[in-house]
Amino acid sequence: MKYIATALLAFMTVTLVTGGVLLWKRRKETGDYSRIIWAVFSWFSAFFALTFIMRTWQETTTADGAFFEPEHTFVPILIQMAFFLYPLEVIHPTISRARVYVLLFTPLILLVAIGMCAGIEYTPIYTYADLWQHIGKFNVWFRLFSLMVMLFYCFSLFLVPYDWRKSSADKRFITFYSCGFCLIGLLHFAIQMFHAYFLVLAHQIVWISFFLSVVWYELRERLLVPPAALKQKESYDCDSTEDGLWGEITLLLDNKEKWRDPNLSLSSLSELLDSNRTYIGEAFKQNTGMTFVEYMTKRRIDYVMAGMKDNPKADIHELFNYVGYRQRSTAWRNFQKITGMTPTEFVDNLK
């Protein structure tokens, strides 16, 4: 087990350093600090992974040592702050950073400062009998309290409101990130409480997978947030053969710009209109000759094409982001499906 843990930690260290370098080199591609945060965080984590390699080899890992040792109780709180900073930048890149950071992280910083710098003498806890014997001591319940605070911050990420107009990330990715964040926190908590090597290995595997997924999303999928709203006016007229439901649909899509919502689906649209999927789907078929998905894809790609024709030098990332695409692969695939060519080929044909 020790050799497997060491090998995983070594691979994790290399992955963290390499991923951090790649993100740092492309840190200016987004309109926020997310890639800077994730790059610095990866290097910070790589440093502690190296220390854990030494401790694993010397047989002084969490799995072999005392319960909730101070180092493994308070250092992860610092790492968790970086975990939390990243989605805040992705979900709300225009958020008032100073005020939010003070409110969110001042309690954590105070907790870490007290835990690591107050000269507290920590009682070693090796068994659950030791735990119950010393549970009344400040240093024992303070460490337990700190671990519970860490878990609270993990799950509080689900409370951050998502607004597709401000976010440059797909909601599914934000949900995935929040779930991964909680899983890593739960595994760390379990390691501190049960000291099982299989939990250590599971934590390392989940951490590596989670990190690679975020780096992949940042470098290959995530589009940019437009620095300002595009001035181009969109017009997409459809032959409406009847009023009623179709009129409500077009009013919602156009006046409230729901056609740009990356999370819009036939189900969510039917809920907004207090109708059902069948009626909504039939309305699209009768009035456009297309399914809901076909209509939304064509409308968005037509807008992008019009923007590129008006200005061949326009930033394709901003156009895709404006019409609701948050993932590069989906945007490129749909563009090729409608036009039969890539965005680059389309622009070249305009010259």
Side-chain angles (χ1 to χ4, degrees), residues 148-169:
M148 296 304 298
V149 169
M150 184 196 71
L151 284 181
F152 169 77
Y153 270 79
C154 285
F155 286 94
S156 65
L157 193 54
F158 286 103
L159 302 178
V160 179
Y162 177 86
D163 186 343
W164 62 269
R165 291 182 176 86
K166 298 177 181 178
S167 177
S168 61

Side-chain angles (χ1 to χ4, degrees), residues 221-247:
E221 295 292 339
R222 184 179 166 210
L223 294 172
L224 306 181
V225 179
L230 300 182
K231 297 181 179 180
Q232 179 180 355
K233 299 293 183 179
E234 62 86 18
S235 61
Y236 200 88
D237 299 327
C238 295
D239 295 331
S240 179
T241 59
E242 61 182 67
D243 295 326
L245 181 57
W246 181 247

Side-chain angles (χ1 to χ4, degrees), residues 92-112:
H92 287 290
T94 59
I95 201 168
S96 177
R97 294 183 178 91
R99 184 175 65 178
V100 172
Y101 291 174
V102 168
L103 290 175
L104 283 175
F105 302 126
T106 297
L108 290 181
I109 293 174
L110 288 175
L111 199 65
V112 173

Side-chain angles (χ1 to χ4, degrees), residues 180-194:
F181 185 34
C182 290
L183 180 58
I184 290 173
L186 285 170
L187 284 172
H188 176 76
F189 182 84
I191 290 171
Q192 301 308 304
M193 298 304 298
F194 301 108

Side-chain angles (χ1 to χ4, degrees), residues 2 7 13 17 29 48-49 57 77 100 113 118 122 139 153 172 196-197 205 278 284-285 293 308-309 320-321 334:
K2 182 177 73 172
T13 304
V17 173
E29 291 184 357
F48 284 100
W57 198 252
I77 292 178
V100 172
Y122 291 101
N139 75 87
Y153 270 79
R172 287 174 297 180
Y197 244 122
I205 293 171
T278 302
F284 275 96
K285 274 288 189 181
V293 174
M308 296 169 73
K309 289 178 181 178
F320 277 135
N321 187 273
N334 287 346

Side-chain angles (χ1 to χ4, degrees), residues 51-303:
T51 64
F52 292 156
I53 289 175
M54 300 301 298
R55 297 195 63 182
T56 299
W57 198 252
Q58 296 171 4
E59 299 184 346
T60 58
T61 63
T62 305
D64 298 322
F67 288 174
F68 40 96
E69 296 172 326
E71 177 188 352
H72 297 132
T73 299
F74 299 109
V75 171
I77 292 178
L78 295 176
I79 296 177
Q80 189 183 39
M81 289 170 60
F83 263 118
F84 214 104
L85 283 171
Y86 170 79
L88 285 183
E89 286 290 333
V90 172
I91 298 174
H92 287 290
T94 59
I95 201 168
S96 177
R97 294 183 178 91
R99 184 175 65 178
V100 172
Y101 291 174
V102 168
L103 290 175
L104 283 175
F105 302 126
T106 297
L108 290 181
I109 293 174
L110 288 175
L111 199 65
V112 173
I114 294 172
M116 300 187 70
C117 306
I120 300 173
E121 183 176 346
Y122 291 101
T123 303
I125 305 294
Y126 294 102
T127 65
Y128 291 108
D130 291 341
L131 175 61
W132 291 116
Q133 181 181 354
H134 301 289
I135 192 66
K137 292 184 178 180
F138 171 79
N139 75 87
V140 175
W141 66 256
F142 180 68
R143 282 178 283 173
L144 284 171
F145 171 76
S146 300
L147 287 174
M148 296 304 298
V149 169
M150 184 196 71
L151 284 181
F152 169 77
Y153 270 79
C154 285
F155 286 94
S156 65
L157 193 54
F158 286 103
L159 302 178
V160 179
Y162 177 86
D163 186 343
W164 62 269
R165 291 182 176 86
K166 298 177 181 178
S167 177
S168 61
D170 185 85
K171 188 175 182 180
R172 287 174 297 180
F173 171 75
I174 297 299
T175 302
F176 162 80
Y177 186 95
S178 301
C179 292
F181 185 34
C182 290
L183 180 58
I184 290 173
L186 285 170
L187 284 172
H188 176 76
F189 182 84
I191 290 171
Q192 301 308 304
M193 298 304 298
F194 301 108
H195 288 202
Y197 244 122
F198 78 92
L199 290 173
V200 175
L201 297 179
H203 183 266
Q204 293 171 351
I205 293 171
V206 170
W207 190 178
I208 293 171
S209 302
F210 180 74
F211 178 81
L212 290 175
S213 298
V214 175
V215 172
W216 176 265
Y217 184 83
E218 277 290 339
L219 298 179
R220 301 292 299 175
E221 295 292 339
R222 184 179 166 210
L223 294 172
L224 306 181
V225 179
L230 300 182
K231 297 181 179 180
Q232 179 180 355
K233 299 293 183 179
E234 62 86 18
S235 61
Y236 200 88
D237 299 327
C238 295
D239 295 331
S240 179
T241 59
E242 61 182 67
D243 295 326
L245 181 57
W246 181 247
E248 293 180 22
I249 292 174
T250 55
L251 185 66
L252 183 65
L253 292 178
D254 296 337
N255 289 9
K256 295 187 178 181
E257 294 190 316
K258 293 299 291 184
W259 69 276
R260 293 176 45 226
D261 185 348
N263 306 302
L264 187 67
S265 65
L266 193 57
S267 297
S268 63
L269 184 59
S270 63
E271 291 178 6
L272 290 170
L273 295 170
D274 196 22
S275 182
N276 62 60
R277 289 169 52 93
T278 302
Y279 291 151
I280 299 294
E282 284 299 318
F284 275 96
K285 274 288 189 181
Q286 292 175 9
N287 290 275
T288 69
M290 295 178 279
T291 65
F292 167 79
V293 174
E294 291 171 342
Y295 172 83
M296 294 304 301
T297 299
K298 190 173 189 309
R299 179 162 187 174
R300 289 169 174 170
I301 298 304
D302 282 352
Y303 186 95

